[in-house]
Every structure is written in C-alpha cells, then in structure tokens.
C-alpha cells in the first residue's frame, strides 16, 4: 500500500535463548475472523489496523469486538490502489485511475474514514462515471472531485465537472461545470492538471486551459491563462499565490505568481532546475530548494545529483542572489531564521546565507555525511552526523566546542541531554561520550558492546540513569557510566534478518512528513509552526503537540480521536518490545527499561510470524492464520 511502509517481518527461528520467567499471555484479548485471505496489514497513524484481503479492506479497532469497517465494494485491491492520506483518518481507494484507458473507461473512487468506519464518498453511488482527480484538503476537511458525473441532461452528462464535499457532514457543498454544457465550437480540453487550491473565499482549479477561480457556491470569479499548473500555495494573506508547473521532460519546475484577482504578478514565469522539494514564502520573496538528478547517467554532460537553492523576488521573480550557494549534494535540512537561511547537506556540510545572498558563516562548516540532528541549544547550533558532532555559533558558524567530537562512521548515533549534570551524551559505534555543556570538554563516558554487532539507536534519561537500546539489546548505565544491566534477546534468525523498526512511530512520522511539495505547502502556511523552523534539541514533544493541536482544530470527531492519541503517553515510555526466540518458539517480549527484565511474553507459535506493534497504544496484532488476526494488549 502506498504512503506507508509495511513492517511485516518474515522470520525463521532456528536458535534458542533463555529468558527470565515472565507472565505468559498467549490468549488474545480480541480475535478477528475476516473470512477472506489476508494479504497485507497496515498500522495507521490513527491507531486502526487496516487489513487488505482478497475481498477488500477491513479496519480493526482493538477496543471493539468486530471490525470497525469492511469495504468490499471494489473487491480485491492492488497495493497501489489504496492511498492512506497523511495526517488524517482517510483512505482513498481507486480503481482504473492508473489504467492507460482511464480517460475512456470507467474509474472508481471511494473515501473511507477508518476511525468512524464510514464510507464518506463512493463514485458508484454518486453517479460519477469517470474520476479525473480526487483530493482531500486539510485542515478545511474537504474533498474535491473532478470528472464526469452521469447526472442532468445529455450535455451535462459529458461535460467535466468539479464537486466539493464536506468530509465531516458527508454532504455536497457545491458543484460546477468547467465548460458550458452543450457549447458549440471546437472542443477544449478542460482536464484538471493538478491539486486545487482551497482558500477562505475562493477555490482555484488548475486545468489544461488555465486557472479557473470560483466562489464557494460555485459562482464564477475569474480565469487566468496559466496552463498546466500541478500545485499551488498562497501566502498568509491569501492575496499572493504561487503556482508550480513541472516541465514536460519532468526534470525542471516553472514557478508562476498570481494575485487573488487572477492577475499575473510576474511578467514571466521563473524556471528552477530540478523538482521542488522545499520552499518558504517570506516578505522578500520565495526561497526554493529544488533537487536535480542525473538519472543514473555517468556521462560528463549529465546533471549533477544535488540541490539548488534560489530566492526569488516577491515583486519580479528575479533571483535575489547573484550567486546561488554551492551545495555539492542534496539539502537534508532547511531552516528559515530571522537573519537568513540555514541549511545542511546530506553528503556533509552546513552553511547559512542572508536574505540578500551574503554568507553569514565565516566559511562553510565541514561535517560528516548524513546529518541526523540539527537543532538549537542554549550554546548554539548542535549537529550530529554519522561521523562527528559539535556545537557552533548560529550567527558566525564558529565552533563552540574546542574541536568536533569525531568517531568511527556509525550505522546509528543516539544522543540525549542530561540536565542534572548539564552535559550532552552521545553514543556511536559502541562508545558513549559525555560533553560538558559549558566548556565543551569531551570525556569517554562508557563503552557499550551490543550483541549481533548492533549499535545503540535510542538513548533516554531515566531517573538519573541512561537507557540505551537497539533491536535486540537493552542496557542501562548509572550517572557515572557504570553498567546497571545489559540484556540481549537473540533475533529469531540472524541470516537475512530485517531489524524491527518502530512501527507506530514510523507511521506517525510518515503521516506528518511531506508526501510531496503540494501537501508541504499547507504546513508552511498554518498557525501551528512551520516545518522549516529550527527545533530545540531534545524537544521530542514538539512535533506531537503540533500535530495534536492541528487535529483538534479541525473540529471533527475522528480528528479528535487522533489528537488524543498524539497527547497520550506511548506504551514504549517504560518498556521496549522485542521479537526474539523463546523456549516455546518465536515470540514478542515486553522488556522493562529500568530493570532489563521481561514483564510479559507472547509466543506467536509461528516460524514466520507476520505482525504489527502499535507502540503508542501497546497493542500487538498477529496474523494467526490466513484469515484471522489476534490482538494482544501489551499494557496488561
């Protein structure tokens, strides 16, 4: 299924391991017989498990004895026909949309609210014969459909139409035709070319004939001849609108600017090389990050694999920077601050440019590759890469620590701040370092050797102690670096074993991440904080609070459920869930973070278990057989 990574593990257990005695819990709290073969299981950001079967989709809420919904209207669905909308309780189901005959044959769409279990929209019941586009708009909580609806007279039944539905009430707000039904003359292509832009007063539809603006009752406002726009975003006043159009070869992007009255505000559009991956609208203009790709070509004439950063004038569209900053790689971090733009490169390097194009750092900062952390601290900008870490002055780029902390290139780096000792703690490649926050002095704090050649990817302060973990290992150090415990739970099979990722947390981050630049635009114009704001180090709750506030503001029952979920304390706050080989077979153990001991174990009785763990609610979903799912409460 698109949008969400699947955390389904196929494991072969051949090794044995002894674990401390623990509570057996092999009887599930809930059993769901779906009556059809289960093909995939997806844990949603809202905490509902969605199973794809040979007959359709089934939603499971562990608090209910029966499925929250069953959608079999379209039969068995291909993975690409199911679209989980990020940061929402919605699934869009499509059939025929990707067919090469999509414009000629019937296409079907449906929108499901997986929390309430309701099918909000079904093209079959609303007489839509062809669906061109189907877009959910948040936070307005609207659904915008374009296509051919088999209603009205013979001319209306063949004229492209747009309809706007309210997702909370499940009712049609308004609809309108993109062309006059029965118009005499040459046929015109009014296909919708991109994502509509819904503003407070108007709706703008990008079409092959240009932009069409309507009032919220469907009445005409204006038309603009800018054709082929793929997505749009407005500034906070909604008086200035930027339209983004991918060029025919798909390698570059044209940017247009229009007013809320449809007037073109730039004399000419502006082309940036590559596809836009990030942007920020500012009073001076629009800062744009675009990614170029060689497409795998080794030719000396091939495009470089790197990002470009441009700053286009609000009034003319001209690049305000005479010389674009060199990136020599892809922009991994992009933050807008009061005095300029701060960015970090995936291949290594950090720099800061003023809004008039001057370099604010005395010289570009050299760093290791893969900048995992860039955040603000009381001492300055802290960065942590796969090879080094340091704090630098945010104004000048000068080092705050005497020299960077360097370590072997590590597959994972974990860090935290010990407020009681006023020090940073960083774990990399088996070594734990302590860095005094005031002096920057570095000491080797401890060595932690994990089995199966794992390295710590999580570090957490717990009552003055330091907890570290990986997929199969957990350890606790005291405040002096002495080992309190180290426990190892052998993986069921080391051969070809895929390490368990945090399913619920990964899904949550997927839901909040930018699916593409069109959706990213909403994050940059709402009142809950921009994703281009530099965060504070160790402020784990910031994104969750931002998401919770956003969900709560929508004023819909399903979003209220999601808001409460993001406010809740995760089940992993005091426990770690690990898949391992138990005496009775492969199973999942719940390990106490303070003691390292097993509080609970569940034997899955399957050499190749397929399962999902909701680490927020503490629920284990296990595919017991071809048609049955068990749900276990890991909190008990």
């Amino acid at each position: 299924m698109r949008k969400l990574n699947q955390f389904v593990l196929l494991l072969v257990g051949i090794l044995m391991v002894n674990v401390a005695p623990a509570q057996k819990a092999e009887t599930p709290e809930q059993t769901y017989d779906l009556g059809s073969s289960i093909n995939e299981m997806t844990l949603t950001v809202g905490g509902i498990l969605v199973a794809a079967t040979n007959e359709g989709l089934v939603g499971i809420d562990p608090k209910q004895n029966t499925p929250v919904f069953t959608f079999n209207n379209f039969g068995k669905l291909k993975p690409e026909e199911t679209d989980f909308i990020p940061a929402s309780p919605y699934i869009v189901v499509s059939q025929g949309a990707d067919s090469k005959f999509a414009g000629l044959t019937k296409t079907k769409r449906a929108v499901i609210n997986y929390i309430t279990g309701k099918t909000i929209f079904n093209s079959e019941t609303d007489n839509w014969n062809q669906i061109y586009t189907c877009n959910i708009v948040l936070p307005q909580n609207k659904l915008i459909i374009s296509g051919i609806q088999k209603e009205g007279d013979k001319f209306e039944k063949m004229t492209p139409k747009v309809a706007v539905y309210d997702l909370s009430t499940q009712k049609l707000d308004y609809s309108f035709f993109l062309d006059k039904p029965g118009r005499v003359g040459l046929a015109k292509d009014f296909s919708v070319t991109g994502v509509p832009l819904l503003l407070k007063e108007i709706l703008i539809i990008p079409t092959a004939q240009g932009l069409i603006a309507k009032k919220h009752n469907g009445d005409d406002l204006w038309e603009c001849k800018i054709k082929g726009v793929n997505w749009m975003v407005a500034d906070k006043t909604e008086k200035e609108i930027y339209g983004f159009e991918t060029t025919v070869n798909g390698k570059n992007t044209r940017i247009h600017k229009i007013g809320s009255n449809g007037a073109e505000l730039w004399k000419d559009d502006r082309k940036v090389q590559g596809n836009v991956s990030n942007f920020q609208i500012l009073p001076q203009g629009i800062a744009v990050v675009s990614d170029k790709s060689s497409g795998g070509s080794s030719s000396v004439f091939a495009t470089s694999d790197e990002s470009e950063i441009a700053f286009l004038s609000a009034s003319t569209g001209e690049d305000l920077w005479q010389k674009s900053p060199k990136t020599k790689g892809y922009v991994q971090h992009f933050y807008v601050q009061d005095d300029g733009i701060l960015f970090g490169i995936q291949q290594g390097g950090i720099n800061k440019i003023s809004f008039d194009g001057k370099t604010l750092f005395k010289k570009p900062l050299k760093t290791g590759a893969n900048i995992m952390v860039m955040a603000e601290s009381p001492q300055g900008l802290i960065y942590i890469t796969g090879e080094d870490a340091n704090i630098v002055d945010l104004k000048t780029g000068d080092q705050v620590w005497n020299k960077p902390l360097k370590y072997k290139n590590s597959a994972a780096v974990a860090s935290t701040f010990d407020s009681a000792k006023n020090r940073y703690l960083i774990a990399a490649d088996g070594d734990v370092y302590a860095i005094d926050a005031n002096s920057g002095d570095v000491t080797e704090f401890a060595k932690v050797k994990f089995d199966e050649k794992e390295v710590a990817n999580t570090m957490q302060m717990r009552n003055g102690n330091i907890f570290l973990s990986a997929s199969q290992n957990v350890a606790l150090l005291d405040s002096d670096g002495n080992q309190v415990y180290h426990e190892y739970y052998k993986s069921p099979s080391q051969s070809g074993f895929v390490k368990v990722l945090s399913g619920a947390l990964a899904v949550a981050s997927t839901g909040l991440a930018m699916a593409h630049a069109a959706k990213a635009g909403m994050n940059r114009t709402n009142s809950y904080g921009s994703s281009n704001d530099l965060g504070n180090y160790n402020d784990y709750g910031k994104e969750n609070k931002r998401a919770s506030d956003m969900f709560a503001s929508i004023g819909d029952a399903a979003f209220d459920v999601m808001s409460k979920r993001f406010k809740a304390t995760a089940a992993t706050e005091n426990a770690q869930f690990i898949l391992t080989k138990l005496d009775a077979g492969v199973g999942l153990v719940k390990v106490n973070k303070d003691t390292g001991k097993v509080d609970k174990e569940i034997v899955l009785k399957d050499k190749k278990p397929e399962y999902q763990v909701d680490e927020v609610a503490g629920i284990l979903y296990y595919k017991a057989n071809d048609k049955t799912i068990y749900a276990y409460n890991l909190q008990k």
Side-chain angles (χ1 to χ4, degrees):
M1 294 181 180
R2 295 186 298 176
K3 306 283 187 188
L4 296 179
N5 292 326
Q6 307 302 307
F7 302 96
V8 179
L9 305 178
L10 302 178
L11 304 166
V12 181
I14 57 173
L15 300 174
M16 301 294 289
V17 63
N18 293 322
V19 297
Q23 173 192 355
K24 297 283 184 180
E26 295 187 27
T27 302
E29 272 69 32
Q30 302 284 8
T31 299
Y32 303 94
D33 184 355
L34 305 189
S36 180
S37 295
I38 301 166
N39 301 314
E40 288 184 285
M41 297 188 299
T42 300
L43 181 62
T44 66
V45 68
I48 302 298
L49 184 82
V50 176
T53 74
N54 281 348
E55 295 181 356
L57 299 178
V58 179
I60 292 174
D61 182 343
K63 298 185 293 294
Q64 299 184 25
N65 297 326
T66 57
V68 66
F69 76 84
T70 300
F71 182 83
N72 294 338
N73 304 56
F74 297 173
K76 182 179 179 180
L77 297 165
K78 300 175 184 177
E80 62 270 18
E81 293 177 334
T82 306
D83 186 3
F84 290 82
I85 304 302
S88 85
Y90 302 122
I91 306 171
V92 174
V93 179
S94 308
Q95 272 195 344
D98 296 327
S99 167
K100 60 183 178 180
F101 302 110
L104 302 174
T105 59
K106 190 169 186 176
T107 55
K108 297 187 288 187
R109 300 285 179 97
V111 178
I112 303 165
N113 184 323
Y114 61 72
I115 289 180
T116 65
K118 295 180 179 178
T119 300
I120 299 174
F121 171 82
N122 188 333
S123 59
E124 297 279 88
T125 56
D126 278 9
N127 294 323
W128 288 88
N129 188 54
Q130 292 182 20
I131 300 288
Y132 298 153
T133 60
C134 175
N135 299 107
I136 287 175
V137 182
L138 299 173
Q140 296 94 326
N141 209 25
K142 303 291 184 181
L143 170 68
I144 303 176
I145 298 290
S146 72
I148 302 294
Q149 190 176 26
K150 291 298 183 181
E151 289 188 351
D153 61 35
K154 66 177 182 179
F155 296 113
E156 292 174 337
K157 289 179 179 178
M158 55 191 299
T159 304
K161 189 177 188 179
V162 171
V164 179
Y165 296 85
D166 186 286
L167 290 171
S168 293
T169 64
Q170 299 180 236
K171 294 181 179 179
L172 175 70
D173 277 354
Y174 56 93
S175 64
F176 52 86
F177 292 103
L178 291 172
D179 195 10
K180 183 178 180 180
R183 178 181 58 82
V184 178
L186 292 174
K188 292 185 178 181
D189 178 11
F190 276 93
S191 58
V192 176
T193 60
V195 181
L197 180 64
L198 183 62
L199 302 176
K200 293 176 183 176
E201 303 293 334
I202 64 175
L203 170 66
I204 305 175
I205 307 293
T207 77
Q209 294 299 314
L211 302 177
I212 298 175
K214 300 280 187 176
K215 293 182 180 179
H216 283 188
N217 59 5
D219 289 349
D220 295 337
L221 276 176
W222 49 259
E223 294 185 8
C224 174
K225 294 300 182 182
I226 297 176
K227 302 177 181 180
V229 169
N230 301 116
W231 53 281
M232 297 168 283
V233 65
D235 68 353
K236 290 182 179 179
T237 68
E238 296 192 350
K239 293 181 179 179
E240 297 183 348
I241 299 158
Y242 293 89
F244 298 80
E245 171 198 353
T246 303
T247 55
V248 175
N249 61 12
K251 294 183 177 180
N252 300 308
T253 305
R254 294 188 180 277
I255 302 176
H256 310 266
K257 187 176 182 182
I258 61 171
S260 57
N261 60 356
E264 296 186 39
L265 300 182
W266 288 348
K267 183 178 179 181
D268 298 301
D269 61 64
R270 299 299 169 189
K271 186 173 79 170
V272 295
Q273 294 188 46
N275 294 307
V276 174
S277 59
N278 210 330
F279 68 92
Q280 181 84 24
I281 298 174
L282 298 164
Q284 304 93 323
I286 182 170
V288 178
V289 179
S290 56
D291 295 340
K292 301 185 297 182
S293 172
S294 65
S297 173
S298 58
S299 169
V300 294
F301 301 106
T303 302
S304 300
D305 292 317
E306 62 182 12
S307 299
E308 286 198 352
I309 305 176
F311 193 29
L312 307 181
S313 166
S315 57
T316 66
E318 298 288 343
D319 198 330
L320 293 173
W321 295 344
Q322 292 183 354
K323 190 176 181 181
S324 297
K326 293 181 179 179
T327 58
K328 296 182 179 179
Y330 287 120
V331 172
Q332 186 178 16
H333 297 265
F334 179 78
Y335 306 110
V336 176
Q337 300 194 289
D338 292 339
D339 56 347
I341 295 172
L342 175 72
F343 59 92
I345 306 301
Q346 197 278 334
Q347 288 81 352
I350 297 173
N351 207 348
K352 191 175 184 181
I353 308 295
S354 68
F355 295 123
D356 58 4
K358 296 177 182 177
T359 302
L360 294 177
F361 282 3
K362 293 178 181 178
K363 59 181 180 180
L365 187 65
K366 293 182 179 180
T367 74
N370 189 17
I371 304 173
M372 303 174 187
V373 173
M374 275 181 67
E376 194 164 2
S377 75
Q379 294 78 29
L381 171 72
I382 182 171
Y383 72 83
I384 300 173
T385 80
E387 303 170 28
D388 62 348
N390 203 345
I391 293 181
V392 299
D393 188 291
L394 262 172
K395 299 292 184 183
T396 65
D398 290 337
Q399 293 184 159
V400 174
W401 296 349
N402 292 330
K403 59 181 180 179
L405 169 64
K406 292 185 178 293
Y407 36 82
K408 291 181 181 179
N409 192 1
S410 184
V413 178
S415 69
T416 191
F417 185 74
D418 181 357
S419 57
K421 299 280 188 177
N422 196 32
R423 63 188 178 184
Y424 295 92
L425 297 169
I426 297 177
D429 197 40
D431 293 314
V432 181
Y433 303 92
I435 305 98
D436 186 277
N438 291 325
S439 66
D441 292 340
V442 178
T443 57
E444 289 193 14
F445 181 68
K447 287 188 177 293
V448 178
K449 185 177 180 181
F450 280 175
D451 292 272
E452 296 189 27
K453 297 182 179 180
E454 288 191 333
V455 293
N457 55 27
T458 300
M459 182 184 282
Q460 177 188 8
M461 296 302 302
R462 297 191 62 80
N463 301 316
N465 295 327
I466 301 102
F467 172 78
L468 300 104
S469 70
S471 294
Q472 307 302 132
N473 291 265
V474 290
L476 193 72
L477 307 176
D478 67 17
S479 60
D480 295 321
N482 300 310
Q483 181 175 292
V484 177
Y485 73 76
H486 169 218
E487 298 292 343
Y488 162 56
Y489 301 92
K490 187 172 289 186
S491 59
S493 172
Q494 295 187 45
S495 175
F497 177 67
V498 181
K499 296 298 182 186
V500 179
L501 294 177
S502 174
L505 298 182
V507 169
S509 65
T510 301
L512 295 173
M514 301 182 303
H516 52 71
K519 290 186 175 68
M522 292 185 288
N523 288 335
R524 285 158 179 72
T525 54
N526 65 36
S527 58
Y528 305 104
S530 168
S531 57
N532 288 337
D533 292 339
L534 183 66
N536 293 321
Y537 179 76
N538 238 18
D539 190 4
Y540 297 120
K542 180 180 178 181
E543 281 302 308
N544 274 12
K545 184 181 185 305
R546 180 168 166 256
S548 178
D549 290 346
M550 180 180 70
F551 295 148
S553 72
I554 293 176
D556 178 86
F559 281 95
D560 186 52
V561 171
M562 294 177 67
S563 176
K564 291 177 180 177
R565 176 175 165 85
F566 272 76
K567 287 180 180 178
T569 300
T572 50
E573 179 67 23
N574 297 308
Q576 178 108 348
F577 303 121
I578 300 175
L579 191 77
T580 187
K581 184 71 169 67
L582 303 172
D583 290 338
V586 175
L588 193 80
V589 293
K590 177 183 178 182
V591 181
N592 186 299
K593 288 184 177 180
D594 291 319
T595 66
K597 301 303 179 184
V598 175
D599 287 341
K600 185 170 189 172
E601 66 180 38
I602 298 173
V603 179
L604 301 181
K605 295 182 179 179
D606 192 337
K607 291 184 178 181
K608 299 179 180 180
E610 296 182 32
Y611 73 100
Q612 291 275 5
V613 176
D614 182 346
E615 295 190 353
V616 176
I619 302 294
L620 166 66
Y621 298 99
Y622 167 52
K623 181 179 171 182
N625 58 47
D626 192 42
K627 300 178 181 179
T628 306
I629 293 174
Y630 289 165
Y632 298 89
N633 187 343
L634 300 174
Q635 299 277 49
K636 292 183 178 179

